[in-house]
Amino acid sequence: MKPVKLAILGLGTVGGGAVRLLQDNAAEIARRTGHEIQITHVGSRRARPDLSLEGIKLSDDLLDIAKQDDVDIVVEVIGGTTLAHDVVMTAIQHGKHVVTANKALLAEYGNEIFQAAEAAGVYVAFEAAVAGGIPIIKVLREGLSANRIEWLAGIINGTGNFILTEMREKGRAFEDVLAEAQALGYAEADPTFDVEGIDAAHKLTLLASLAFGIPLQFEKVYTEGITKLTAEDVTYAEELGYRIKHLGIAKRTDAGIELRVHPTLIPENRLIANVNGVKNAVLVQSNAVGSTLYYGSGAGAGPTASAIVADVVDLVRNFGNEGTGRVPHLAFQPDALHNTPILNADQMTTAYYLRLTAQDHPGVLADVTGILSRAGINIDAILQKSIQAKGNVPVIILTQPVLEATMNTAIRDIEALSAIEAPVVRIRLENLDG
Amino acid sequence: MKPVKLAILGLGTVGGGAVRLLQDNAAEIARRTGHEIQITHVGSRRARPDLSLEGIKLSDDLLDIAKQDDVDIVVEVIGGTTLAHDVVMTAIQHGKHVVTANKALLAEYGNEIFQAAEAAGVYVAFEAAVAGGIPIIKVLREGLSANRIEWLAGIINGTGNFILTEMREKGRAFEDVLAEAQALGYAEADPTFDVEGIDAAHKLTLLASLAFGIPLQFEKVYTEGITKLTAEDVTYAEELGYRIKHLGIAKRTDAGIELRVHPTLIPENRLIANVNGVKNAVLVQSNAVGSTLYYGSGAGAGPTASAIVADVVDLVRNFGNEGTGRVPHLAFQPDALHNTPILNADQMTTAYYLRLTAQDHPGVLADVTGILSRAGINIDAILQKSIQAKGNVPVIILTQPVLEATMNTAIRDIEALSAIEAPVVRIRLENLDG
């Protein structure tokens, strides 16, 4: 059979990893596909001497490569949302299939990109955009296709999970671990996307569309980072039997869909609570199969290339068939996407961990519990710690699920008490039971 | 578009579950496929009053249903390997696609069945045959298609895992928990397939073919059940930081492929060591993505139906395309399967947990460690317990990996020592590190 011709645009960690994987596993991949996969072009300002690029055309004109006749599939691994956007749209307009690892691009411009792809009869595959080598896109789009998906919760940023794991295991402060993560290459020099939850929000946007059949709506994701987490709260959570993880959560409710990224207490006996270091995991609750969990490496050259090349194999296996591929881009048929409302933060419902800094005198606890009780907020546990510096007492309260708007009012009332010395620390809590 | 016509043969737990799921999630499934899926026939001796079967033809002549014109896909959920075999072959010969949950049938007759399917240009899908609702077939066949898979290890029998979990958590004896599992409906009246590892060996046969691209070779799986495990060994394992799980393991080595089902000590901090109760999980080690793990419900009406209907959706999404489906039955192209040798037990390499029942006098330990040392077997840990009844001392030894033939000889020599009072208990140990 004719070899399938690939252009790899971007020769950084991921692009280089894809080149290497296609070469190293060429025999195994050909056994699976029945086709030879040939890299005809790489797009990069310079070659990489550590890669074998013999016989492959090298150019820094990425838009030009995306138009070439000897290209069936364009692999976009340059990142960003400007040149990447133009390259992907050009490839689509020239009838090329696209494989991309670019979550920011798809979360922000995916509706436009997938529409163009449908119109052009090509496919834009993006397994590598979420949770690296874990085939979670395929699982949601195909493996769980018989299910109505109720919710999903994922550790989908490895840098954040590494930081939280170190904070818990070694009692270290956030800034301290972040500096180490940067030194190790886990975190970027500008770590904003990772630690402020933006990267996770991009990925959650994609997962939520696939799970529920809704358009991509990155701008509606409630996003809270891990920069304000203290070692103190990590320790108190642990005393109460919980771990704090930075989760992306997408959940159906009667009122609409919750899309949120935030630090979350989860019971320590949940499998996902024990996913540590830079690993990723996604827990999916569906109406037929119940809970399933998918775990693995969410980043790095090998895992990301694994997902990119799996997408290439999927495309190759579909060659000779009609249309834009068996599986709709966003899991549901384009005309079957629903405009289910996405809830704003006030409308979301979760349980809470509250930490109060209270003066050590009688009556404070009665005042606080009175406020919660009048707001209809049920308390699951209270932990009062011994007196700290300045004579204050930390009081930790775990609540049952409550509407965020209700909790906001209650917290304002608690903070107005004269015996409360500092803003209330709040962290959301999810039981994640099936 | 034309509705897709389904015959469901077998109306037991799984067949009934599939009917119900197709009806309950009809809207969600149609949104994903763009087709209506219509059940035209059910094959069963009697209707089930708890199901809505209006407009569906009911017959107990399963072979006849498999030939009908108003059937595109035959779902075989009758089980067994006699009538099921004939039904599947008849369906194939009449140009119907087949979806089956029948691991015994495929493990024993799969080579013949897939060959017939290739010849007839139809597809035999079997996601439900392994690990219930966990889409592990799709993961191996498609999600990890870029990888050379090195090994996999799975908890793929829920009944066995339930029994081991109860033994560990409550210190109960095997027979005691088995009786409860039977009362709860987790175990059959004749539990042989579950507790002797035959069911797991069927599933491992399928997983190994998909992972390595080898023909199905059920008869070559080394299979050991959990019936001889004692609460004592479960406890000692735990003292040493291990859990005992009944694993199906498929592993490439330079000499060939190991296929084995047996109780296995694994480090307690591995995620898979914390998969409890009737849940299933499969850990896959591949050369690009590294370790990934897939977890969920391995049995029951909902999870099994989830996998069956996912296969139906896959087939429907492929309709209008040529040939027998995008993805080869056994993950690799039929002409690319390798006849890599399957090793026999003597040729396999694992670490070991050994429990010796020794007389309490000096010199015994020196004799035992001398035998191991002369055989080139390295010791990782020794645990000597206090004196038991009859004045004997249990001695637990953890070894490093060693060829099984070597260990057999060493154990024979140890048992020949006059101070060793009972046969050596041996349980294999795997570190499962990536």
Side-chain angles (χ1 to χ4, degrees), chain A residues 366-377 409-411 413-414 417:
Chain A
D367 289 345
V368 169
T369 56
I371 289 170
L372 293 173
S373 161
R374 281 189 298 279
I377 299 171
T409 310
I411 286 179
D413 292 348
I414 291 171
L417 292 173

Side-chain angles (χ1 to χ4, degrees), chain A residues 1 21 24-25 28-34 127 132-135 138-149 210-214 252 269 271-272 274-275 279 283 287-297 301-303 305-307 309-311 313-315 317-318 320-323 325-328 331-334 336-338, chain B residues 1 21 24-25 28-34 127 132-135 138-149 210-214 252 269 271-272 274-275 279 283 287-297 301-303 305-307 309-311 313-315 317-318 320-323 325-328 331-334 336-338:
Chain A
M1 285 194 232
L21 179 55
D24 289 351
N25 286 2
E28 202 80 349
I29 293 167
R31 284 177 71 204
R32 288 197 173 98
T33 61
E127 185 62 79
I134 308 171
K138 183 169 281 288
V139 163
L140 288 174
R141 208 153 51 176
E142 305 178 41
L144 301 179
S145 62
N147 290 265
R148 182 180 154 93
I149 294 172
L210 302 178
F212 304 136
I214 55 174
R252 281 186 207 266
N269 63 356
L271 220 49
I272 196 172
N274 295 285
V275 170
K279 295 292 186 180
L283 177 63
N287 74 343
V289 68
S291 283
T292 51
L293 179 122
Y294 309 89
Y295 162 89
S297 287
S306 168
V309 176
D311 275 345
V313 170
D314 255 16
L315 287 169
R317 282 173 165 170
N318 205 41
N321 291 335
E322 310 273 312
R326 294 174 317 121
V327 184
F332 294 76
Q333 300 293 320
L337 297 186
H338 285 172
Chain B
M1 285 192 231
L21 180 56
D24 289 351
N25 285 3
E28 201 80 348
I29 293 167
R31 284 178 71 206
R32 287 197 174 99
T33 62
E127 184 63 78
I134 308 171
K138 183 169 281 287
V139 163
L140 288 175
R141 210 152 50 177
E142 304 179 41
L144 302 179
S145 62
N147 290 263
R148 181 181 155 92
I149 294 173
L210 302 177
F212 305 135
I214 54 173
R252 281 187 208 264
N269 63 356
L271 219 50
I272 195 171
N274 295 284
V275 169
K279 295 293 187 179
L283 176 62
N287 75 342
V289 67
S291 283
T292 53
L293 179 123
Y294 309 89
Y295 161 90
S297 288
S306 168
V309 176
D311 275 345
V313 170
D314 255 16
L315 287 170
R317 282 173 164 170
N318 205 41
N321 291 335
E322 308 273 315
R326 295 174 316 121
V327 185
F332 293 77
Q333 300 293 320
L337 297 186
H338 286 172

Side-chain angles (χ1 to χ4, degrees), chain A residues 106-127:
Chain A
L106 294 179
E108 297 181 32
Y109 300 97
N111 295 321
E112 169 200 354
I113 289 169
F114 294 131
Q115 203 174 359
E118 297 283 343
V122 298
Y123 204 68
V124 177
F126 57 99
E127 185 62 79

